[in-house]
């Protein structure tokens, strides 16, 4: 007889933090987090130093899955240009989902404002890694100014994600032509 193991209190807290903060923002209270996770406040504070640390851990825990849904695989043999376009195609696909609320890492940075907040530091690193990916691909693809192109692509990514996340724009037919124009202007192969 096999039974599915119930997630641990830590796992339930991480999942509740991810779901509730994505849906409602980082201002979600400890009571709501604990209730959603089915965990007492005492247990939460035994597992995490603070709500801030729980939020940071939740973001850190999901970072690799987030990256895996966006970036091409390391062994992907497409051109740098196609690899960059892949990221925006993935975002466009995700943005079509009813539950899409934009990039959780951007939202955390906007909501928290305080750069020293543990969750903000995690979010900033995830966003910096995406910009670094764009820069590396731009350099490999022969862009005239890889740093500038990487910053431009990050700006487009964040802006498109935010607009789609708040439901004021659909990305279909909008984002790929814009990114293509940037890649062309930068001399990307």
């Amino acid at each position: 007889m096999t039974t599915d193991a119930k997630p641990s209190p830590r796992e339930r807290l991480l999942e509740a933090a991810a779901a509730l903060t994505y849906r409602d923002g980082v201002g979600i209270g400890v009571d709501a987090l604990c209730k959603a996770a089915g965990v007492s406040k005492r247990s939460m504070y035994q597992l995490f130093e603070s709500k801030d640390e729980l939020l940071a851990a939740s973001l850190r825990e999901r970072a690799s899955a987030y990256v895996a849904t966006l970036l091409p695989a390391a062994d992907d043999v497409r051109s740098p240009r196609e690899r960059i376009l892949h990221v925006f195609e993935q975002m466009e696909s995700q943005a079509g989902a009813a539950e899409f609320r934009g990039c959780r890492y951007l939202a955390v940075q906007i909501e928290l404002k305080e750069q020293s907040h543990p969750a903000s530091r995690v979010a900033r690193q995830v966003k910096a890694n995406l910009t670094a990916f764009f820069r590396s691909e731009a350099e490999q693809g022969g862009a005239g100014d890889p740093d500038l192109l990487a910053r431009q692509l990050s700006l487009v990514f964040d802006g498109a994600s935010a607009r789609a996340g708040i439901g004021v724009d659909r990305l279909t037919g909008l984002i790929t032509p814009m990114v293509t124009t940037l890649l062309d202007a930068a001399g990307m192969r």
Side-chain angles (χ1 to χ4, degrees):
M1 167 163 118
T2 61
T3 58
D4 291 332
K6 183 177 179 181
S8 71
R10 183 179 194 284
E11 290 167 328
R12 294 194 316 267
L13 280 164
L14 290 169
E15 182 56 38
L20 293 178
T21 59
Y22 188 63
R23 188 187 73 204
D24 301 328
V26 297
I28 194 79
V30 170
D31 289 333
L33 286 168
C34 290
K35 182 178 179 183
V39 173
S40 70
K41 282 204 268 188
R42 181 173 184 241
S43 293
M44 187 199 99
Y45 286 115
Q46 287 175 336
L47 293 165
F48 298 96
E49 186 177 306
S50 64
K51 175 188 150 190
D52 295 351
E53 291 298 331
L54 169 58
L55 294 177
S58 177
L59 289 170
R60 198 176 301 109
E61 189 90 6
R62 274 143 190 79
S64 61
Y66 172 75
V67 168
T69 64
L70 282 179
L71 301 186
D75 60 356
D76 187 309
V77 296
R78 290 179 287 179
S79 71
R81 177 188 186 95
E82 292 168 324
R83 290 170 52 84
I84 288 171
L85 285 168
H86 171 85
V87 172
F88 290 94
E89 290 162 1
Q90 293 302 106
M91 194 225 315
E92 182 179 313
S93 173
Q94 292 171 17
E99 67 277 1
F100 185 75
R101 301 285 179 266
C103 172
R104 75 174 61 241
Y105 297 95
L106 177 63
V108 163
Q109 289 182 292
I110 290 169
E111 284 187 72
L112 290 175
K113 312 278 188 266
E114 185 184 324
Q115 291 188 14
S116 63
H117 189 286
S120 185
R121 287 195 311 263
V122 171
R124 192 170 52 254
Q125 185 59 56
V126 169
K127 299 305 292 182
N129 291 348
L130 180 60
T131 302
F133 167 81
F134 289 146
R135 191 206 178 289
S136 174
E137 296 299 319
E139 190 173 344
Q140 291 175 37
D145 187 342
D147 290 323
L148 177 62
L149 180 58
R151 290 176 49 223
Q152 290 169 329
L153 293 170
S154 292
L155 183 66
V156 169
F157 183 94
D158 287 345
S161 176
R163 290 186 58 81
I166 61 173
V168 296
D169 230 330
R170 290 178 315 177
L171 302 183
T172 305
L174 181 65
I175 197 162
T176 301
M178 185 184 323
V179 171
T180 299
T181 299
L182 281 173
L183 297 175
D184 290 345
M188 278 287 296
R189 303 187 296 271

